[in-house]
Amino acid sequence: MINPQEAAALRVPRLPLLLPAGLALLAGLDAALILLRVPAPVGSERLPSVHGHLMVLGFVGTVIALERAVALRRTWGLAAPVLLGLGALALLTPVPRDVGTALLLAGTLALSAVYVPLHARSHDPSVAVQALGAVLAAGAAMLLLAGAPVSLSLTWLVGFVVLTIAGERLELARLAMLQPRVPAQLVTISLLYAVSAATALLAPGPGHRLVGVTVLALGVWLVRHDVARRTVRGSGLPRYVAVCLLAGYAWLAVTGALWVVHGAITDGPAYDAVVHAAFLGFTMSMIMAHAPVILPAVLRRPLPYNPLLYVGAGLLHLTLLVRVIGGDLLGHQALRVGGGVGNVAAVLLFLAGAVALVVTAPRRTSS
């Protein structure tokens, strides 16, 4: 996670680097409405085809790359978030889609390069796990640039997000004096995930089931060793973070179970379920959990804890249950659409609340 002192030392540009990520998020949500075939603020034939690019690499990727650039404390590390942000912006313009995808690939390669000195600095297993996630992101971008459907790169995109977050959670879990075998377990599971994702390209059926097994193993590791198991019994911000984390881990288990049961999933209700369990249930819940830390460090303004943060988070999980269970698994199209619209509303509600809390909070006096 971003350390505020490190952010100040690097003098990270704040809003200019986050703005493309924010635009990618809003465009991705607009594309989600178009895919649900409901009225959207901006009608576009192109947006639905780059929905996954925008949400995972444009939005999540830029935020993660900015975190890592701050941790590196070297100006060249900012190339990763800049390239990923430019790639997202290019996808929103009339220029050929390959231009934006090529920029995303360059950004993921730059992010992978950032982890080299980070790992050399400490030889920390948590950094190695995150580095493997960045390599998977680069692999996904290569597949997208080659014209492969997003479904073919799905396991790679999921791996990018899951391994990055698992590595970050390991950094915090080590404060609990973990046994040396515990980090080694995560490294082993992460390597198995990468092998499984590669196998899924060659043998989709068994490969995706193997991916599902490793996802379930990652979920078990996270639940067992994350400090959230203890902090959820607290109050205030620590409890809020823990609730979001544990809810996200539950959706990660759903993701793994869907792959184990269905094997290769390329379209249809099961595909919708696995995509949104992974990227809304897990990823967005992780973002909501970490927002009170990420935003103050980058913007140098506090995001004070407020119980209202639970509203957006709670609505996200409730509407996702409606979408996945009622819509995707039970086949009620109205529930799928209604749940999907609710997902968009939940993310926008959380975003609006977080922005309001940041704007109304007093500015930090330190630089």
Side-chain angles (χ1 to χ4, degrees), residues 145-347:
L145 186 59
V150 176
S151 60
L152 194 65
S153 62
L154 179 59
T155 57
W156 295 65
L157 292 169
V158 171
F160 163 52
V161 175
V162 173
L163 296 190
T164 299
I165 292 171
E168 291 187 342
R169 298 311 299 173
L170 174 58
E171 289 184 80
L172 295 177
R174 291 179 66 182
L175 299 176
M177 304 296 289
L178 295 176
Q179 296 291 329
R181 61 181 173 80
V182 175
Q185 289 171 352
L186 181 59
V187 172
T188 300
I189 298 171
S190 300
L191 289 170
L192 287 174
Y193 185 97
V195 171
S196 303
T199 303
L201 295 177
L202 304 174
H208 280 80
R209 286 191 168 88
L210 186 57
V211 168
V213 170
T214 56
V215 167
L216 289 172
L218 282 165
V220 170
W221 188 95
L222 286 164
V223 171
R224 183 175 180 183
H225 299 294
D226 200 304
V227 295
R229 289 180 61 189
R230 291 186 294 277
T231 56
V232 75
R233 296 191 290 268
S235 61
L237 179 60
R239 183 171 188 172
Y240 162 77
V241 172
V243 168
C244 289
L245 291 172
L246 295 175
Y249 298 156
W251 284 110
L252 186 63
V254 171
T255 303
L258 286 168
W259 268 323
V260 169
V261 171
H262 293 278
I265 308 172
T266 58
D267 55 22
Y271 181 77
D272 185 83
V274 74
V275 165
H276 295 98
F279 294 122
L280 283 179
F282 175 73
T283 306
M284 194 58 68
S285 192
M286 298 298 109
I287 292 172
M288 289 178 172
H290 294 131
V293 177
I294 296 173
L295 289 179
V298 175
L299 300 179
R300 298 175 195 167
R301 294 184 67 118
L303 171 55
Y305 166 73
N306 189 304
L308 291 176
L309 290 173
Y310 278 107
V311 176
L315 182 62
L316 174 70
H317 294 292
L318 177 61
T319 55
L320 191 56
L321 282 171
V322 171
R323 177 179 191 160
V324 171
I325 296 178
D328 295 326
L329 302 184
L330 297 181
H332 297 289
Q333 180 65 9
L335 293 180
R336 176 180 173 271
V337 173
V341 173
N343 298 158
V344 174
V347 174

Side-chain angles (χ1 to χ4, degrees), residues 108-119:
T108 58
L109 291 173
L111 175 60
S112 301
V114 165
Y115 284 108
V116 175
L118 283 177
H119 187 263

Side-chain angles (χ1 to χ4, degrees), residues 117-125 127:
L118 283 177
H119 187 263
R121 183 185 298 172
S122 61
H123 299 286
D124 192 327
V127 177

